[in-house]
């Protein structure tokens, strides 16, 4: 399989072809940017999109867009890039011995020797401190939510050692932004944000099960658990359940946010978001082949578009 050994210039095997890190970043910075997955931007999108969902529904619920919302959206984008990088760095520190045994991951900076463990810890702390500076610009409730987010981030890398459902823990971490951004706008947590968070977790189970199928053979050899291994040939059926849960929970979040004060047309437009997202997920299922790693990676990456679809409808609803 391609990626069994590092390429001469240190590229990671599953990085995006022609990415800016390998093409334009200073050479001294490339190993650290690779450690943060800056050469694979899909993870930043998957962390950011629930933040923007939460902000959009908070504005819809309150009917009060404010100038500060632009900073919340921007701050979430910067924070998602930094915290995704910090989380990936932490993940690679804890998984460095496992990564060295998996074909797809042994070219990463730590197992391939591009970065030392000490250097990785320093890089992780730097990213966390920059993220903290952004978080401190939000209200107190959002700051508290941001601090709490560190708990699922810290636990996730160990989940695959003790449960067949590590994707749930990834969902806890990757969708926390829905709670944080809602709170940053509204000042307190609300049920729509909780339902949206649950919808995001179901979506994460969908896309990360697809992603995890790339490593099932290696994972079995080294004893790593995943929903991909758990579901096996029944994966498509389970993905249908996650699809249904994503659409239903997001629809419930929209209804809770829009009623009773939002205009009817705004409610209809916002509800079209999870409906359209569900169709995009169904399209992915039609192309699913759990034996084709290239197809699995392609389907995983298109989930950026999957997540942006409801956001378009939420924003349209705000214009009504």
């Amino acid at each position: 399989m391609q990626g069994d050994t590092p390429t001469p210039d240190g590229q990671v095997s599953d990085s995006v072809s022609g990415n800016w890190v390998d093409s334009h970043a200073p050479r001294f910075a490339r190993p650290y940017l690779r450690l943060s997955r800056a050469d694979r931007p899909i993870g930043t999108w998957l962390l950011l999109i629930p933040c923007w969902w939460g902000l959009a529904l908070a504005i819809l619920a309150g009917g009060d867009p404010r100038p500060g919302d632009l900073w919340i959206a921007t701050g979430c984008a910067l924070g998602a890039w930094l915290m995704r990088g910090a989380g990936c760095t932490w993940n690679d520190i804890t998984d460095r011995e496992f990564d060295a045994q998996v074909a797809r991951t042994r070219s990463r900076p730590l197992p391939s020797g591009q970065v030392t463990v000490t250097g990785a810890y320093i890089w992780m702390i730097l990213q966390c401190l920059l993220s903290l500076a952004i978080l401190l610009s939000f209200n107190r409730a959002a700051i508290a939510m941001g601090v709490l987010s560190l708990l699922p981030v810290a636990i996730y890398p160990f989940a695959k050692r003790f449960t067949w459902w590590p994707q749930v823990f990834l969902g806890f971490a990757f969708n926390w932004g829905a709670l944080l951004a809602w709170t940053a706008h509204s000042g307190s947590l609300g049920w729509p944000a909780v339902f949206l968070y649950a919808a995001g977790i179901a979506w994460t189970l969908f896309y990360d099960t697809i992603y995890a199928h790339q490593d099932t053979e290696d994972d079995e050899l080294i004893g790593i658990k995943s929903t991909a291994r758990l579901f096996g040939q029944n994966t498509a059926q389970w993905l249908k359940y996650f699809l249904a849960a994503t659409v239903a929970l997001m629809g419930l979040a929209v209804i809770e946010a829009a009623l009773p004060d939002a205009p009817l047309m705004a409610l209809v437009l916002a509800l079209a978001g999870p409906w359209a997202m569900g169709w995009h997920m169904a399209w992915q299922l039609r192309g699913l082949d759990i034996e084709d790693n290239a197809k699995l990676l392609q389907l995983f990456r298109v989930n950026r578009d999957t997540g942006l679809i409801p956001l378009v409808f939420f924003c349209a609803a705000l214009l009504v």
Side-chain angles (χ1 to χ4, degrees):
M1 177 179 173
Q2 184 182 7
D4 283 0
T5 57
T7 54
D9 58 359
Q11 289 180 321
V12 177
S13 65
D14 59 352
S15 61
V16 178
S17 177
N19 68 82
W20 72 275
V21 173
D22 295 331
S23 302
H24 303 296
R27 288 194 174 275
F28 74 88
R30 290 179 187 178
Y32 295 95
L33 292 170
R34 291 170 184 143
L35 195 61
S36 295
R37 311 287 198 275
D39 53 344
R40 284 154 285 170
I42 178 60
T44 299
W45 281 109
L46 296 175
L47 188 62
L48 171 60
I49 286 169
C51 301
W52 285 349
W53 289 349
L55 176 60
L57 285 193
I59 297 171
L60 180 65
D64 57 342
R66 308 164 191 164
D69 293 330
L70 180 60
W71 167 243
I72 294 174
T74 304
C76 284
L78 295 171
W81 193 87
L82 289 165
M83 283 308 298
R84 190 260 182 142
C88 288
T89 304
W90 171 240
N91 185 79
D92 283 9
I93 290 171
T94 60
D95 281 359
R96 60 190 184 276
E97 294 181 4
F98 290 130
D99 286 346
Q101 302 176 62
V102 176
R104 186 179 58 83
T105 58
R106 65 180 56 143
S107 59
R108 288 177 176 176
L110 277 169
S112 65
Q114 298 178 55
V115 176
T116 65
V117 175
T118 300
Y121 272 114
I122 294 171
W123 179 238
M124 179 184 70
I125 292 169
L126 176 60
Q127 292 171 99
C128 287
L129 290 175
L130 292 172
S131 298
L132 177 62
I134 295 169
L135 181 64
L136 291 175
S137 69
F138 295 161
N139 59 47
R140 289 185 179 180
I143 293 171
M145 291 299 301
V147 173
L148 285 173
S149 73
L150 295 177
L151 182 60
V153 171
I155 293 173
Y156 166 66
F158 302 101
K160 54 185 169 287
R161 309 180 193 196
F162 64 80
T163 177
W164 287 100
W165 295 82
Q167 280 69 28
V168 172
F169 288 84
L170 181 67
F172 290 159
F174 257 57
N175 296 282
W176 198 272
L179 306 177
L180 193 153
W182 172 284
T183 305
H185 173 86
S186 65
S188 62
L189 197 56
W191 279 111
V194 174
F195 291 131
L196 193 63
Y197 181 55
I201 293 170
W203 178 43
T204 301
L205 278 161
F206 180 91
Y207 66 67
D208 204 61
T209 297
I210 293 173
Y211 184 78
H213 264 288
Q214 297 175 91
D215 300 326
T216 50
E217 292 183 7
D218 287 331
D219 286 350
E220 185 175 1
L221 288 173
I222 61 179
I224 292 297
K225 298 177 174 68
S226 71
T227 50
R229 286 189 60 206
L230 178 64
F231 303 154
Q233 295 300 319
N234 295 319
T235 290
Q237 186 60 46
W238 278 94
L239 294 183
K240 290 177 184 177
Y241 298 149
F242 300 144
L243 186 163
T246 301
V247 173
L249 288 164
M250 187 177 289
L252 187 56
V254 168
I255 292 169
E256 285 284 326
L259 294 180
D261 298 322
L264 177 60
M265 183 55 67
L267 174 61
V268 171
L269 281 171
L271 282 174
W275 175 82
M277 181 179 182
W279 277 108
H280 197 269
M281 294 168 75
W283 168 79
Q284 291 183 55
L285 280 176
R286 287 197 293 273
L288 180 68
D289 180 354
I290 62 173
E291 306 298 332
D292 184 345
N293 281 5
K295 185 65 174 180
L296 290 168
L297 184 58
Q298 178 191 11
L299 289 177
F300 169 71
R301 286 175 175 166
V302 301
N303 276 277
R304 180 200 64 174
D305 300 338
T306 310
L308 288 174
I309 287 170
L311 182 65
V312 171
F313 285 93
F314 295 167
C315 292
L318 296 178
L319 298 176
V320 174

